[in-house]
Amino acid sequence: SSWIWRQYSPIPAEFFFSDDEKKFADSLNSGFVVIEPNLKHRVEDVNRDWGWGNFAALVSIFTSVDWVQLGPKGTKVLPNVRFIETASPRMAAAALTKAHRFVGHEGGMHHMAAAVGLKGVVIYGGYISEHVTGYPIHRHISVGSGLGCGSRVKCEHCTEAMKSITLDRVALEFIECLK
């Protein structure tokens, strides 16, 4: 079975942070780049996975970047990446207000980045496209035309689409995003 996507132009949400969330964000130094290699553990998420090794390799190319991952205690963290513990998605969104850029898969973190006006690189592959969940503020990496296959089970098309997204391509998009 598959999701059937419709073309859509999402409007970024608006966050109204609590005093505690603002205080947390104010405690962070600004200028870091958030990277998110993790996905939820839903069956279809295998179709959105660019691969842990690819994200680790991207970090190793840009050694002068202050890479950060956000998440709850126990989050799997890439090598050479700082971890900022965020007890909730709202705390992660507050932390994103101090970031310089974002790199990750299509998903919750890319929506939060858009909501706080954070530019970034979003990796789509072939499961879903930027024509469904993309924001103009982000650089999108998708494969093929159309809206994505939406397969809710492991999909060879999506596996091949992700394999076709090279480290060089993501690195070049990241460089462009920094401008």
Side-chain angles (χ1 to χ4, degrees):
S1 73
S2 297
W3 295 109
I4 305 217
W5 308 122
R6 291 183 318 166
Q7 187 162 341
Y8 181 69
S9 297
I11 297 168
E14 188 172 357
F15 275 101
F16 297 94
F17 294 109
S18 70
D19 289 342
D20 285 344
E21 291 162 344
K22 290 177 192 174
K23 185 177 177 182
F24 171 71
D26 288 343
S27 75
L28 303 174
N29 292 325
S30 61
F32 53 87
V33 175
V34 172
I35 188 163
E36 182 49 78
N38 295 304
L39 292 163
K40 292 180 180 176
H41 298 291
R42 299 175 304 194
V43 173
E44 65 261 27
D45 285 343
V46 68
N47 297 326
R48 299 186 312 122
D49 191 359
W50 187 50
W52 186 266
N54 286 323
F55 282 101
L58 184 67
V59 167
S60 72
I61 291 171
F62 297 96
T63 57
S64 64
V65 170
D66 181 15
W67 293 103
V68 165
Q69 275 181 254
L70 306 171
K73 190 174 191 167
T75 296
K76 185 177 177 185
V77 180
L78 291 163
N80 303 310
V81 172
R82 247 181 348 112
F83 178 65
I84 296 175
E85 185 177 335
T86 53
S88 69
R90 289 188 57 84
M91 292 301 256
L96 285 170
T97 67
K98 294 296 188 166
H100 179 59
R101 294 289 186 269
F102 164 78
V103 177
H105 301 105
E106 183 277 340
M109 190 75 74
H110 108 271
H111 290 292
M112 287 191 293
V116 300
L118 181 61
K119 293 180 180 180
V121 176
V122 181
I123 301 168
Y124 286 85
Y127 172 73
I128 193 168
S129 84
E130 70 272 16
H131 302 294
V132 181
T133 63
Y135 300 93
I137 195 171
H138 294 145
R139 299 190 70 81
H140 311 117
I141 301 176
S142 59
V143 176
S145 59
L147 303 179
C149 78
S151 178
R152 295 173 73 184
V153 296
K154 185 172 179 166
C155 168
E156 191 61 32
H157 158 264
C158 292
T159 300
E160 291 305 312
M162 282 301 185
K163 283 182 184 174
S164 75
I165 298 173
T166 65
L167 179 59
D168 286 345
R169 181 174 178 192
V170 177
L172 288 173
E173 290 292 341
F174 181 62
I175 290 167
E176 288 299 313
C177 181
L178 291 172
K179 293 180 179 177

